[in-house]
Amino acid sequence: MNEQHARRIQKLMKINMKAETPPEPIARLVTDSISLDNRITGKSDKEVIDILISKEEQDSRSIGVMYHILTSIDNPEIFQKMIKFINGAGVEYWHYVLCNINMIFFECWPVIHLQCKEQLIRLIREAVRQNVKQIENVLMNAYRVASVSADLMGKQKIFMMLTRIIRENEGWFKAQRQCAALVSIIITSTTAVIASSPAPMTAQDTFRESLTDLVHWVIKNKKTDCITLGRDFILVLFRLGKTPQGEDIWKDLATNPASYGVAGIEDFMIKPNLIQHLRISIELDRKLQFMVTSGGKNTLIYFSWLTNKFFRGPDGPSLRAECVRFMLYMNLDPAKYPPSVFETRIQIIHLLLTTVSAVHEQQFLKLCLFLDWFGCDERNLINYNYVEVPFAVIRYALFLTPGPPHPNSIVQSSHCSHYANSLLEYLCKSVDTLIPVLSDYFRKNLNNAMKCCRDRLQHGFSQVLENSKIDRKTTEQLRAVFPDFIRNGGVALPVARLKKKPVEEIKQAVPSTSASQSGSSEKIEKPTEKPSEKPAPIDSQRASSSRQSTSDVEKLQKKEKAEKEEKDLNTSLKLLRGEVGAKMVALKTQWHSLDDDADKCEAVEAVLQLMLNTEENFDDAQQELAAQCLQGIMGCVVEDEKSLLPDNEKDLSEAFTHPIYSVLKFLCNPPNDDDCSTDMMATMLAAMREKDSSLTYVLLYFIKGTSGSRSRDTIDCYKDIAKMSGRRVDEMLASDLQLCAINDIRLFANLVPFVFSHFEEEVMTTPDLLSTLCSNLDAIQLRSFVSEIIREEIKLFRKESFTKIVMGSVEWATTPQWVFWHLIHADGVPIEWFLSTIPKLDFKNHHEAIANILLMMKRMDREPWAGLIRALFARVPHKGDTFTVDALKVLIEDSDQCQKVSELVAQLIKKLIGNNDLVGVGVRATKKGNPTKLTLQQVLEHLQHFSTSCVEKKQRSTESFMSRNPLQEAFASIRVNEKASMLVRMYSNLFGAMEIIAQETKEHSSSRTLRGNSSSRQGSTGDKQQSQQQSKRKTGDTDDEQNNKKRKVHKEVIELSDSDSD
């Protein structure tokens, strides 16, 4: 590349020509500009225009013209000259220019200089002034690309120029008839910039005010075009906040909705945004498309890069909101993309939501996520296309397991089940607070969205709403908003809201400003305040009528459900072929005429026998149909508020009489006793389970009650069903036990010991089962379960999987965690199993685990060892983290252990010095399996925290520990090491404390030695006197009293001489 090319490229973009290659569009701009210059140099204006309009290489010459326009910031004459050439070439030539502008927007905008961008906007301004055909499309793309920029000042400058174009050409803008897309893009992109711009510091800073005035003016003059935005128009009004312009629009919408082409806010909420694909820049669009379709395992890496490039600036949160709305409407064809692509989209949305720090920005992002739920009106069926993704985000967060805690990790523990709870809590609270007078309308739409999720996701739906990770408080809120989707669980259902306001009344009462909201709420509340004379009769009358209404609703719902099931059953029966189909129809016809369960069981067994022995083409599809038909005929064995266990739990002779148990008997003991029969029955049970998920915990109950010593053999039937259902055994067990705990707590207590003794492999390798257990055990069941563990009937934990289970448990609520730690103590888990867990515990979130490990260390029945000390110091130091300090204090309380701990700490220090691991805190290790590398600086950081926190206490165990010779020698070796001199200065307080304690110990020991010498001399004198007394006792007849008096006198003399010597 010659010098001329290099200079021209550097006029367009910042680039190191020795190390980088310019993008192809930039290189083409330069090449075509040089070619154009060679053709027009020395030519007259007329000749230049003739060259431009000639058919040969017309496209390349227009690109050359674009280069001169982009680089003419310092030479306005060239800019005017190029405009003259374009105008001289005619209207058709403007078409080439507009195409080239779009090309630069799409391919070059992120890399070209700000001055080049300004020149491009000036060219658009000239085109608008001349009313060039289709310039509105180019102006729309200008707003799109300008909304994303790493340079905040440059972004503001571009938006001010675009605002000036609209304001200078108001007549042109009003005259545009079909410009709904342009209006929508101006409104959304400009309000996003307003929301992210800092507040003005001076009176001369009018940027935000100018943009707000523009949005207000555009909306007022293009009211009917705002309907293109649909419910996103309401999002725009929320973004404008309580500005005078925003309040004016709310008021206008409430008082004169017809001017907007709607009857009220509901008409905006019912419509989706038709131009979601245009709301972000082309560059960001491509990046997100690539991450979704090709991210895979590298999604977190790509997202880190995306965050650094686009979301670090002040406009980061507003860009995130735009990306969330864009991702929700992203069109992905299931026939073209694998399921992993859809999972990646969910992961990226979750990252966009959780990696923003400001609370108010998180709330707005949640509104962006659930906005389509608030507008899920059944009158517009297209709304149902946008409700599954938000629910999938909740499910993803609920089942997300964070990695080891690290300050640089993207996924933190707070992004998992805690965040899923916060999403559900936001959804419930926003019903009554988003727009209060529309609360009933929003409640209805949210239930429509939830029903759609239930119908489409089936079992995945119950996995979320019935999960033990959902807090009790959140469950109560969900039950109040979604009474038809949350089981009672012993709590009465809330009174159904049957008397809802007509939509017309709501529309008249729509608030536009905070003042109008309060005024309208007063109008609504006044009638309820009027009848205050006799409140008791009215309340009782309302309560009785509401109970009656609730019972009527329940009866109606049961009737509708029965009719739907009957319709589905008849449809399935028609699809069954051959002899099996005929037999199934006959069974349905005679079912209600059969006298008792024994006759029904016999009829079901006859049908099953026919299925197993038929020679017809009875493939998997027919098997699943037959299973669903059989289930529809037999009905469900589980009844509300009734336990499957008989009153006498030891006598199960009459427990398995329902016809469903005949199916389970054929599964566990097929009459033909071959693999084909077993596979067929497993396929049928898996199909039945899709409609009734309680069937598999009923199977566990049947196996426990009937198989006896053969139960371990028949357990394989349960595992086969899990395999057929496409689920892991531990996952299905956790789901079944959770559902059993909700439906039948007595049966849950009966099944738990059986499950945990027969599924040891699954119990010991996953935290899901333990989570279900700990979330549902009461005190009596816990005592019984602990008894089983002590008697060695159940073994819960295995060393190789213990760390995974503990780290999974820290995400649970407090009560399940305390139950979990009771089980750990009952199982006798040694402290050695926690060594890999100790460095990973987060002091901000994992309080229960930290407290219990400290208690275990306090009760530890062995000496400390090197591995424990290293694990304690391996924790990344933090000012608020006292775990290592507390653990050291526990270990040195015993004087014998104190010496051992000092030796171990000294050995660790000397080893780190020998390995030259000196500087750094929380340094990532190169060795596989160790997330961080332990350094001397990290040990000293902990010891300094320890010394400042624990000295000058009553027992003075800290001073005793720090005065021990091994530790003093280790610190002396640090002082003499030249490479560690920086650490000596950095931790001068710690080293000073060590010197002071050493000096005090030395002085104390010398004083003690002096006292010891004096007492030894006095002791020899006393011995002589004692020997004289003994000889007197042997030779004389001295009486006992006299001897006692003499001993007292000598004792006083010795004490006196001792004090004199001191």
Side-chain angles (χ1 to χ4, degrees):
M1 184 177 294
N2 58 36
E3 187 177 349
Q4 185 184 16
H5 273 80
R7 283 200 310 270
R8 294 202 176 197
I9 288 174
Q10 288 173 340
K11 281 188 175 184
L12 290 172
M13 63 179 292
K14 187 177 180 180
I15 185 173
N16 182 358
M17 296 303 299
K18 295 181 180 179
E20 298 178 70
T21 303
E24 183 181 348
I26 297 290
R28 186 180 178 190
L29 277 168
V30 171
T31 304
D32 289 348
S33 69
I34 294 174
S35 174
L36 177 66
D37 288 350
N38 293 335
R39 291 294 305 274
I40 67 174
T41 301
K43 306 286 186 182
S44 65
D45 291 351
K46 184 178 183 305
E47 291 174 330
V48 172
I49 292 172
D50 290 339
I51 292 172
L52 291 179
I53 63 176
S54 63
K55 297 299 183 182
E56 299 176 1
E57 301 179 356
Q58 192 173 29
D59 186 39
S60 64
R61 288 165 192 159
S62 64
I63 292 176
V65 171
M66 290 303 303
Y67 171 83
H68 288 294
I69 290 175
L70 292 174
T71 57
S72 61
I73 184 71
D74 297 325
N75 195 343
E77 293 180 1
I78 294 180
F79 181 81
Q80 293 300 330
K81 195 173 185 180
M82 291 298 129
I83 296 295
K84 181 180 178 181
F85 290 158
I86 294 171
N87 289 331
V91 177
E92 292 184 1
Y93 197 79
W94 268 107
H95 173 73
Y96 287 97
V97 174
L98 297 186
C99 291
N100 290 331
I101 295 175
N102 281 332
M103 182 272 293
I104 294 171
F105 280 150
F106 294 169
E107 307 295 340
C108 307
W109 182 268
V111 297
I112 59 177
H113 294 305
L114 176 60
Q115 294 86 347
C116 300
K117 296 176 182 178
E118 292 176 18
Q119 290 300 100
L120 202 60
I121 301 302
R122 289 190 179 98
L123 178 60
I124 295 174
R125 179 187 179 189
E126 186 65 28
V128 171
R129 189 180 66 81
Q130 298 185 28
N131 195 13
V132 175
K133 188 178 180 181
Q134 294 185 343
I135 185 59
E136 65 274 6
N137 295 331
V138 177
L139 184 60
M140 179 182 66
N141 288 328
Y143 270 97
R144 286 184 66 191
V145 297
S147 62
V148 178
S149 176
D151 179 17
L152 181 62
M153 297 302 296
K155 183 175 183 177
Q156 291 184 353
K157 198 169 186 179
I158 296 298
F159 263 91
M160 282 303 295
M161 294 179 70
L162 292 172
T163 302
R164 204 172 295 120
I165 290 175
I166 302 295
R167 291 307 231 170
E168 289 175 353
N169 300 275
E170 292 182 357
W172 167 84
F173 186 80
K174 292 178 181 178
Q176 300 298 312
R177 296 301 176 197
Q178 296 179 348
C179 61
L182 175 61
V183 170
S184 301
I185 295 301
I186 290 175
I187 292 173
T188 54
S189 59
T190 308
T191 49
V193 174
I194 293 170
S196 62
S197 298
M201 302 296 291
T202 63
Q204 290 74 29
D205 186 1
T206 60
F207 175 73
R208 287 181 64 177
E209 190 68 22
S210 299
L211 265 61
T212 308
D213 288 339
L214 174 69
V215 173
H216 179 261
W217 183 85
V218 169
I219 292 175
K220 284 284 192 174
N221 287 277
K222 292 290 182 181
K223 292 182 179 180
T224 54
D225 289 329
C226 295
I227 195 65
T228 306
L229 282 170
R231 60 185 71 101
D232 280 79
F233 180 68
I234 306 302
L235 202 63
V236 165
L237 298 185
F238 280 123
R239 258 188 168 166
L240 287 176
K242 294 185 178 181
T243 59
Q245 297 90 334
E247 300 244 344
D248 181 60
I249 297 170
W250 274 113
K251 190 180 297 183
D252 187 35
L253 181 59
T255 57
N256 189 19
S259 63
Y260 292 83
V262 297
I265 289 183
E266 298 93 328
D267 286 356
F268 277 107
M269 294 300 299
I270 199 175
K271 295 180 183 295
N273 188 349
L274 300 178
I275 56 166
Q276 290 282 17
H277 60 288
L278 300 177
R279 70 184 305 145
I280 61 175
S281 71
I282 297 91
E283 180 192 15
L284 191 52
D285 185 339
R286 290 173 178 173
K287 296 291 189 297
L288 291 175
Q289 292 279 1
F290 169 78
M291 287 176 61
V292 170
T293 56
S294 307
K297 296 180 179 179
N298 298 320
T299 301
L300 288 178
I301 299 173
Y302 292 147
F303 187 81
S304 297
W305 175 89
L306 192 77
T307 301
N308 292 329
K309 183 171 177 60
F310 294 104
F311 303 146
R312 289 293 185 196
D315 58 346
S318 62
L319 280 180
R320 287 173 185 268
E322 297 300 306
C323 290
V324 168
R325 297 297 296 159
F326 172 79
M327 297 282 286
L328 290 172
Y329 282 72
M330 185 179 287
N331 188 17
L332 298 174
D333 186 2
K336 183 179 178 181
Y337 297 107
S340 60
V341 170
F342 296 86
E343 295 171 4
T344 303
R345 173 169 68 166
I346 301 303
Q347 182 184 6
I348 294 172
I349 294 175
H350 176 263
L351 289 170
L352 288 168
L353 295 169
T354 54
T355 53
V356 65
S357 55
V359 177
H360 67 283
E361 296 293 352
Q362 277 203 0
Q363 296 299 97
F364 186 75
L365 288 173
K366 291 175 185 176
L367 176 59
C368 292
L369 179 68
F370 289 115
L371 184 65
D372 297 308
W373 280 43
F374 290 103
C376 188
D377 195 314
E378 68 273 10
R379 291 176 293 172
N380 188 357
L381 297 180
I382 197 173
N383 288 322
Y384 291 104
N385 296 336
Y386 310 116
V387 299
E388 287 184 60
V389 176
F391 192 85
V393 173
I394 298 173
R395 187 180 187 278
Y396 176 83
L398 195 64
F399 291 98
L400 179 63
T401 303
H406 191 274
N408 295 328
S409 176
I410 295 179
V411 181
Q412 302 291 334
S413 58
S414 59
H415 300 167
C416 305
S417 58
H418 296 300
Y419 191 73
N421 278 276
S422 73
L423 288 176
L424 292 171
E425 187 176 354
Y426 172 84
L427 193 62
C428 296
K429 289 183 176 179
S430 298
V431 174
D432 298 318
T433 59
L434 192 62
I435 300 179
V437 293
L438 290 180
S439 59
D440 288 343
Y441 177 69
F442 286 158
R443 191 181 302 271
K444 174 188 172 186
N445 290 348
L446 290 180
N447 278 271
N448 289 339
M450 194 67 82
K451 182 177 183 299
C452 176
C453 292
R454 182 188 63 185
D455 294 342
R456 293 182 181 179
L457 301 176
Q458 295 183 359
H459 179 67
F461 180 82
S462 60
Q463 278 184 330
V464 174
L465 294 188
E466 296 176 3
N467 198 289
S468 59
K469 294 180 181 179
I470 302 296
D471 296 341
R472 189 178 299 276
K473 176 185 174 184
T474 307
T475 303
E476 294 301 323
Q477 292 174 342
L478 287 170
R479 187 175 289 116
V481 179
F482 305 103
D484 296 335
F485 304 96
I486 308 296
R487 296 176 184 270
N488 271 345
V491 180
L493 280 169
V495 177
R497 300 185 175 221
L498 293 175
K499 293 187 178 181
K500 295 188 178 180
K501 289 192 172 213
V503 178
E504 290 75 11
E505 292 181 24
I506 298 174
K507 291 171 184 175
Q508 294 172 5
V510 169
S512 58
T513 64
S514 57
S516 64
Q517 285 180 16
S518 60
S520 60
S521 62
E522 288 173 7
K523 290 177 184 178
I524 294 170
E525 291 173 2
K526 278 179 182 177
T528 61
E529 293 174 359
K530 254 187 178 180
S532 58
E533 297 175 359
K534 297 180 179 180
I538 292 174
D539 290 344
S540 61
Q541 185 179 359
R542 284 178 181 172
S544 61
S545 63
S546 64
R547 284 194 295 269
Q548 181 66 31
S549 301
T550 304
S551 63
D552 292 343
V553 169
E554 290 177 354
K555 291 178 182 178
L556 182 61
Q557 289 175 345
K558 287 181 180 179
K559 183 180 178 182
E560 291 176 352
K561 183 179 178 183
E563 291 175 354
K564 184 177 182 301
E565 290 176 352
E566 181 71 17
K567 183 179 178 181
D568 293 343
L569 176 59
N570 292 332
T571 304
S572 300
L573 285 171
K574 292 177 182 178
L575 297 174
L576 271 178
R577 299 190 299 263
E579 190 178 358
V580 174
K583 189 77 172 176
M584 197 70 73
V585 173
L587 178 65
K588 178 181 179 295
T589 304
Q590 65 176 355
W591 185 257
H592 295 290
S593 62
L594 296 175
D595 295 333
D596 54 14
D597 285 340
D599 295 336
K600 293 179 179 179
C601 289
E602 185 178 346
V604 169
E605 289 176 5
V607 174
L608 291 173
Q609 192 70 47
L610 175 63
M611 293 179 190
L612 295 176
N613 297 328
T614 183
E615 296 180 357
E616 298 175 352
N617 182 18
F618 199 55
D619 56 12
D620 290 349
Q622 287 290 299
Q623 293 170 19
E624 292 177 2
L625 272 175
Q628 292 174 1
C629 292
L630 205 56
Q631 185 183 28
I633 294 171
M634 293 185 299
C636 183
V637 65
V638 177
E639 299 180 15
D640 292 339
E641 300 179 1
K642 183 178 180 181
S643 176
L644 292 179
L645 275 175
D647 295 334
N648 183 6
E649 297 182 8
K650 296 183 179 179
D651 183 14
L652 301 178
S653 57
E654 300 296 327
F656 305 111
T657 58
H658 193 278
I660 195 67
Y661 295 115
S662 296
V663 181
L664 301 182
K665 183 175 72 174
F666 267 63
L667 171 68
C668 299
N669 302 292
N672 298 345
D673 198 18
D674 59 352
D675 293 339
C676 292
S677 300
T678 304
D679 291 344
M680 180 184 294
M681 293 304 302
T683 301
M684 293 176 63
L685 262 295
M688 288 181 172
R689 191 187 185 280
E690 288 183 5
K691 296 192 71 175
D692 182 9
S693 52
S694 66
L695 193 60
T696 35
Y697 79 70
V698 174
L699 172 60
L700 291 172
Y701 171 48
F702 179 76
I703 293 173
K704 180 180 184 294
T706 60
S707 298
S709 59
R710 292 186 61 253
S711 58
R712 291 196 177 274
D713 299 329
T714 52
I715 282 296
D716 291 336
C717 301
Y718 184 90
K719 296 180 179 179
D720 291 340
I721 295 174
K723 185 178 179 181
M724 294 287 184
S725 302
R727 308 186 67 191
R728 301 193 316 272
V729 176
D730 60 283
E731 182 185 357
M732 194 163 85
L733 278 171
S735 174
D736 286 344
L737 287 180
Q738 180 63 41
L739 186 60
C740 182
I742 294 171
N743 292 342
D744 192 343
I745 193 64
R746 285 183 60 220
L747 182 60
F748 171 78
N750 185 274
L751 283 180
V752 161
F754 173 78
V755 170
F756 277 73
S757 61
H758 286 73
F759 292 90
E760 289 185 0
E761 185 69 28
E762 289 75 12
V763 169
M764 293 181 180
T765 55
T766 177
D768 293 343
L769 267 173
L770 282 169
S771 172
T772 304
L773 173 72
C774 297
S775 300
N776 295 285
L777 282 182
D778 59 21
I780 297 173
Q781 294 163 358
L782 176 61
R783 189 264 305 158
S784 176
F785 197 75
V786 168
S787 177
E788 298 266 358
I789 296 173
I790 292 172
R791 295 199 310 271
E792 298 185 21
E793 299 290 339
I794 297 172
K795 183 67 178 173
L796 284 180
F797 305 110
R798 187 180 293 169
K799 184 176 181 180
E800 55 268 22
S801 59
F802 185 71
T803 300
K804 176 185 175 183
I805 291 176
V806 172
M807 294 311 297
S809 72
V810 296
E811 301 297 328
W812 306 345
T814 297
T815 302
Q817 284 199 61
W818 283 114
V819 174
F820 172 71
W821 284 97
H822 279 301
L823 300 181
I824 287 179
H825 299 321
D827 209 34
V829 175
I831 190 69
E832 290 91 332
W833 288 18
F834 290 92
L835 295 188
S836 59
T837 307
I838 288 173
K840 301 175 183 177
L841 295 175
D842 182 6
F843 75 97
K844 293 181 180 178
N845 299 310
H846 304 160
H847 311 292
E848 297 86 353
I850 288 174
N852 277 279
I853 292 177
L854 287 173
L855 292 174
M856 289 183 71
M857 292 178 66
K858 201 169 181 68
R859 296 193 297 264
M860 190 169 63
D861 58 355
R862 60 165 292 182
E863 280 190 345
W865 68 103
L868 176 61
I869 300 300
R870 189 177 185 91
L872 293 176
F873 285 109
R875 289 179 61 82
V876 177
H878 193 279
K879 189 175 181 180
D881 185 8
T882 62
F883 179 83
T884 301
V885 173
D886 298 338
L888 284 174
K889 189 73 169 62
V890 166
L891 294 176
I892 65 173
E893 285 179 348
D894 183 83
S895 58
D896 295 334
Q897 281 195 4
C898 183
Q899 178 66 23
K900 181 67 176 177
V901 174
S902 68
E903 293 173 359
L904 293 172
V905 175
Q907 290 172 10
L908 177 61
I909 290 174
K910 292 177 180 178
K911 184 177 180 181
L912 293 174
I913 294 174
N915 294 340
N916 203 27
D917 294 332
L918 302 179
V919 182
V921 174
V923 179
R924 284 195 172 276
T926 55
K927 186 177 178 182
K928 190 176 181 180
N930 293 332
T932 58
K933 180 175 71 173
L934 183 59
T935 62
L936 180 60
Q937 181 181 351
Q938 188 163 320
V939 173
L940 294 177
E941 184 76 28
H942 282 298
L943 288 175
Q944 178 159 290
H945 194 187
F946 172 72
S947 67
T948 55
S949 304
C950 301
V951 295
E952 298 182 356
K953 303 299 180 183
K954 185 177 180 180
Q955 295 184 357
R956 298 188 68 81
S957 56
T958 303
E959 288 84 345
S960 174
F961 167 70
M962 295 175 71
S963 67
R964 302 283 172 156
N965 288 334
L967 200 59
Q968 289 287 341
E969 292 171 1
F971 271 76
S973 64
I974 299 174
R975 290 190 188 95
V976 300
N977 190 303
E978 294 181 358
K979 296 180 179 179
S981 59
M982 180 186 70
L983 297 178
V984 176
R985 293 193 301 272
M986 186 181 299
Y987 299 100
S988 57
N989 292 341
L990 174 62
F991 281 88
M994 292 293 292
E995 290 178 358
I996 293 171
I997 291 173
Q999 186 66 27
E1000 289 179 352
T1001 305
K1002 186 176 180 181
E1003 293 174 357
H1004 184 66
S1005 62
S1006 64
S1007 173
R1008 192 168 50 198
T1009 304
L1010 181 60
R1011 289 180 182 178
N1013 292 336
S1014 174
S1015 62
S1016 64
R1017 288 195 302 271
Q1018 293 160 4
S1020 62
T1021 306
D1023 289 343
K1024 289 179 183 178
Q1025 293 172 351
Q1026 254 183 354
S1027 63
Q1028 291 175 5
Q1029 289 176 11
Q1030 288 173 0
S1031 63
K1032 287 180 181 179
R1033 280 199 300 269
K1034 290 178 182 177
T1035 56
D1037 297 322
T1038 311
D1039 149 283
D1040 288 341
E1041 269 180 50
Q1042 197 170 357
N1043 286 336
N1044 287 335
K1045 289 178 182 179
K1046 289 181 179 179
R1047 280 198 295 274
K1048 288 178 181 177
V1049 169
H1050 289 308
K1051 184 177 181 183
E1052 290 171 359
V1053 171
I1054 291 171
E1055 289 178 351
L1056 182 62
S1057 67
D1058 187 27
S1059 63
D1060 289 344
S1061 68
D1062 285 338

